[in-house]
Amino acid sequence: MADVPDGEQGCGSPLELFNSIAAQGQLVRSLKAGSASKDEIDSAVKLLLALKMSYKTATGEDYKADCPPGNPAPGGDCGLDATEEGEDFVDPWTVQTSSAKGIDYDKLIVRFGSSKIDKELIDRIERAIGQKPHRFLRRGIFFSHRDMSQILDAYENKKPFYLYTGRGPSSEAMHVGHLIPFIFTKWLQDVFNVPLVIQMTDDEKYLWKDLTLDQAYGYAVENAKDIIACGFDINKTFIFSDLDYMGMSPGFYKNVVKIQKHVTFNQVKGIFGFSDSDCIGKISFPAIQAAPSFSNSFPQIFRDRTDVQCLIPCAIDQDPYFRMTRDVAPRIGYPKPALLHSTFFPALQGAQTKMSASDPNSSIFLTDTAKQIKTKVNKHAFSGGRDTVEEHRQLGGNCDVDVSFMYLTFFLEDDDKLEQIRKDYTSGALLTGELKKTLIEVLQPLIAEHQARRKEVTDEIVKEFMTPRKLSYDFQ
């Protein structure tokens, strides 16, 4: 975290001001994430705002996190991270909001400079694939994009593209929230019939967490079993561990180095909030997450082709990595990756934060028994219901903050049934206990079926998925 002595702010060159703002923003974030007093946070925010005013006076422009003065990032993908009091805070490691409804995604779209997935785009996807769009699209769970229209242009013109998503393996057990990008990516792979690469960032978890290299790699293999259990086509899917693949793929490493050469330390500090006390591994890691966005990182699949565009389905907190990637791409002669962003899966305790794998009660884990699922939902799922049955019958419940209803929007396939539940809960006809019972009845078989599929994933199958090879897709 950034330690910025109070006496060292204010004056200086635009670049010094830029760096001071980045450091002070990181300080504000760490204070908010910790247990600092309101006075301490307010004081830090006040100083941050004063620095931003000084910066605007000095440069004539508003501060933008990943656009240092005199070095604007090409392509206009500069994003602005939230630091002011009362704003949502989103970065690749922390998600916080003061609202029980969760993050304000419309504001996030504006701040990150992405585009809303509107009805027009969803209708176009439906026409292209000739079937009903996934419930995650219909319900706004995937809500934002970058250049999805280009992907559809390519598909309609019979030009190739590929999918890339990933997982940071920080623990052996994954929770249901971790499944969201994989459920959707599996659907994309099926409807568009395209290859997929899945990056396991075991190197990242080693750098950020208190893990040994062997533990990080072990978690990558265990998590791969859960990912494979989602039903990916082995003939069109390559799963790779960074710790493994980087050493055996010159094409991948060459792209990492190209990206590293085109991103300054000031830029990664601005985008990711790194401080001078962070290890150099963290500072260089974003280039490793960026490299799979370029097709020649996988010569066994794409040979030496550099023109195959990539589509990345991910949660919106990963977007800073790919804003950076999209800024670098034209400078090294590659197409910018396109993105589809999902909302966050809420913790059982409420939508103010995303779930933590270290808190067993914050989510439903893929290893939970039917009894554990029932207990967790009944005991921990934040309710939008009223204090008494009488009051609830009279005034109704609030679906906007009720976690059981939020979970149903992710996992209940039937749109009509979901809408009926929403109406009944809002009117007071459906009680909180009954809503929780409905969720339990949806989750128990879903988790049980996942566990059964995972049991069938042998070490041999994992090895096959993780072996660099030609995928059954013709890229002539």
Side-chain angles (χ1 to χ4, degrees), residues 364 370 373-375 377-378 404 407-408 411-412 417 421 430 433-449:
I364 307 297
I373 293 166
K374 183 178 179 179
T375 302
V377 171
N378 283 329
S404 296
Y407 277 31
L408 285 171
F411 294 117
L412 183 64
K417 189 175 178 187
I421 290 168
L430 187 74
E434 295 166 331
L435 178 61
K436 288 187 173 186
K437 184 170 181 284
T438 303
L439 174 63
I440 291 162
E441 287 166 358
V442 168
L443 285 178
Q444 283 176 333
L446 184 132
I447 301 294
E449 286 161 20

Side-chain angles (χ1 to χ4, degrees), residues 249-300:
S249 176
F252 188 86
Y253 184 60
K254 282 174 185 172
N255 278 339
V256 169
V257 174
K258 281 184 187 177
I259 297 157
Q260 286 172 339
K261 185 170 182 174
H262 287 82
V263 182
T264 68
F265 181 41
N266 281 328
Q267 283 173 309
V268 290
K269 281 207 293 189
I271 300 167
F272 300 102
F274 296 142
S275 74
D276 293 348
S277 58
D278 277 314
C279 72
I280 59 172
K282 288 185 180 182
I283 293 148
S284 60
F285 173 74
I288 297 170
Q289 184 155 326
S293 308
F294 306 130
S295 53
N296 63 339
S297 291
F298 305 99
Q300 70 280 9

Side-chain angles (χ1 to χ4, degrees), residues 33-297:
S35 52
S37 69
K38 188 173 185 306
D39 286 349
E40 196 176 355
I41 293 170
D42 287 348
S43 170
V45 168
K46 197 173 173 185
L47 183 53
L48 178 66
L49 295 175
L51 282 166
K52 287 186 175 182
M53 287 295 290
S54 301
Y55 182 85
K56 187 166 186 176
T57 303
T59 64
E61 294 177 353
D62 287 326
Y63 167 81
K64 287 188 177 177
D66 46 358
C67 298
N71 187 17
D77 277 325
C78 295
L80 188 59
D81 291 322
T83 43
E84 285 80 0
E85 181 64 23
E87 286 285 298
D88 296 337
F89 174 64
V90 175
D91 77 4
W93 306 280
T94 310
V95 176
Q96 286 187 320
T97 177
S98 54
S99 168
K101 292 181 182 179
I103 298 289
D104 185 329
Y105 291 104
D106 287 335
K107 278 188 182 174
L108 210 54
I109 285 172
V110 172
R111 202 162 72 231
F112 280 6
S114 59
S115 304
K116 191 177 177 71
I117 295 177
D118 55 16
K119 186 176 184 305
E120 192 181 336
L121 185 65
I122 294 171
D123 289 347
R124 187 179 171 196
I125 291 170
E126 184 168 5
R127 286 194 304 274
I129 63 175
Q131 60 178 268
K132 190 176 177 181
H134 195 276
R135 64 181 183 273
F136 290 174
L137 282 171
R138 303 194 306 264
R139 296 173 190 168
I141 287 166
F142 273 80
F143 69 100
S144 159
H145 75 101
R146 296 185 188 277
D147 291 343
M148 184 60 193
S149 300
Q150 284 183 16
I151 294 292
L152 292 170
D153 289 344
Y155 182 70
E156 287 161 359
N157 291 307
K158 306 281 190 284
K159 288 184 178 171
F161 72 92
Y162 70 101
L163 295 164
Y164 156 40
T165 193
R167 161 89 184 121
S170 56
S171 63
E172 198 167 313
M174 286 166 60
H175 56 58
V176 284
H178 292 139
L179 286 184
I180 301 307
F182 296 109
I183 290 170
F184 190 61
T185 302
K186 158 80 167 67
W187 178 81
L188 289 169
Q189 183 184 53
D190 290 347
V191 298
F192 288 110
N193 186 28
V194 287
L196 161 68
V197 297
I198 300 174
Q199 180 181 43
M200 308 298 285
T201 56
D202 40 12
D203 52 345
E204 175 202 14
K205 294 306 170 188
Y206 170 72
L207 293 166
W208 263 266
K209 304 270 183 184
D210 187 19
L211 298 174
T212 65
L213 280 171
D214 286 345
Q215 280 174 317
Y217 181 74
Y219 290 159
V221 172
E222 287 304 309
N223 286 187
K225 291 177 182 175
D226 277 309
I227 292 166
I228 292 164
C230 292
F232 291 104
D233 184 342
I234 197 164
N235 298 309
K236 296 192 183 84
T237 307
F238 173 46
I239 302 174
F240 64 99
S241 136
D242 284 344
L243 291 173
D244 249 357
Y245 186 61
M246 188 101 120
M248 64 172 82
S249 176
F252 188 86
Y253 184 60
K254 282 174 185 172
N255 278 339
V256 169
V257 174
K258 281 184 187 177
I259 297 157
Q260 286 172 339
K261 185 170 182 174
H262 287 82
V263 182
T264 68
F265 181 41
N266 281 328
Q267 283 173 309
V268 290
K269 281 207 293 189
I271 300 167
F272 300 102
F274 296 142
S275 74
D276 293 348
S277 58
D278 277 314
C279 72
I280 59 172
K282 288 185 180 182
I283 293 148
S284 60
F285 173 74
I288 297 170
Q289 184 155 326
S293 308
F294 306 130
S295 53
N296 63 339
S297 291

